[in-house]
Amino acid sequence: MHAPKTFMVGIDVSKAHLDVAIEGKAAVVRFDNDAAGCAALAAAVIGAELVVVEATGGYEMTIVRTLMAAGIAVAVVNPRQIRDFARASGRLAKTDQVDARVIRHFARAMRPAQIPHIDDGRIALAALVTRRRQLVDMAVAEKNRLEHAPQAVAVLIAETLAALKAQLARVDAAIALAIDAEPDMTARRDLLLTIPGIGEVGAAVLIAELPELGAIDDKKLAALVGVAPMAHDSGTWRGQRHIAGGRATVRCALYMATLSAIRCSPAIKAFYTRLRDAGKPPKVAIVAAMRKFIIMINTILKRNTPWNEPQQHGC
């Protein structure tokens, strides 16, 4: 397979196959979604300007890591963005080959940002962080059931809660070990822990699920997290701004950290109080504080300097 010197590639991912559309080639080529197929695909797209892969719940990870190992720039995009782009382009049909071509056109038109290199340590950490979130969600669900459960069922629920608590402790220990095993992640954690409002769990989420932190500009970061206000204007009408998209799990962790920072950090507290005094609703003020907070965190990691604000009692 030969292609122009600079070309875009779109890959539609399924559990079993990878359908690949290469700029300058009419045919869409299919590879197996396994180690051998990914290696053959990477060899076929050497020299690509950018390879865009649709996120598919983890089935894309093998090809993403293979392409990165080959030194090929990769972007992973939300499937909703691809479908919206397809509808806007008048491409309503949906097959694997059509999707691959749509992703290729999306790559050329939108030029999504290349994702940072994913190493084995961060992949392991991300899996542990995800598992921790699942355990917490399961524990919350069981506690909700316990409230109205008869005695016989309550005993069983209590046993499940004890098992979940024990596993959560093991996962927390594994997260700490995973971070300690990687000097770069250890350094990032130590910096994050100097920031009021961020604890071990919040630091682990930011390290695992927001690797761009400290490496991109503030506006892109705010949009990536989903705390950038989106305009809703038409003509002379000015609608209310709302946040949209972004990484929900990171945003949830940032929300909890910001609530703590509003109490502990004079800078964040003063910013939040000023907005409330100006008449902003609590939710609007909190989101604005989240945006300011993540930008401050971004600056700390960019400069590789700890938070130097005087710590307040109770932080």
Side-chain angles (χ1 to χ4, degrees), residues 7-13 18-20 22 31 33-35 37-54 59-76 103 114-118:
F7 57 97
M8 296 288 190
V9 178
I11 301 179
D12 181 70
V13 180
L18 302 165
D19 291 282
V20 184
I22 300 177
F31 296 85
N33 193 359
D34 56 21
C38 289
L41 192 162
V45 299
I46 288 290
E49 180 180 348
L50 182 67
V51 176
V52 176
V53 180
E54 190 177 52
Y59 292 127
E60 75 280 3
M61 289 310 300
T62 301
I63 185 57
V64 168
R65 294 176 66 187
T66 303
L67 291 169
M68 284 184 168
I72 299 170
V74 186
V76 180
I103 296 169
Q114 175 184 350
I115 63 173
H117 181 75
I118 303 174

Side-chain angles (χ1 to χ4, degrees), residues 119-141:
D119 55 38
D120 291 340
R122 194 173 72 79
I123 290 173
L125 177 63
L128 288 168
V129 168
T130 298
R131 182 56 183 167
R132 189 187 194 283
R133 188 180 303 116
Q134 293 166 349
L135 290 171
V136 170
D137 290 344
M138 287 189 286
V140 170

Side-chain angles (χ1 to χ4, degrees), residues 144-163:
N144 290 338
R145 296 184 186 104
L146 185 61
E147 184 177 358
H148 302 291
Q151 182 59 33
V153 175
V155 171
L156 299 175
I157 293 175
E159 291 176 0
T160 301
L161 284 170

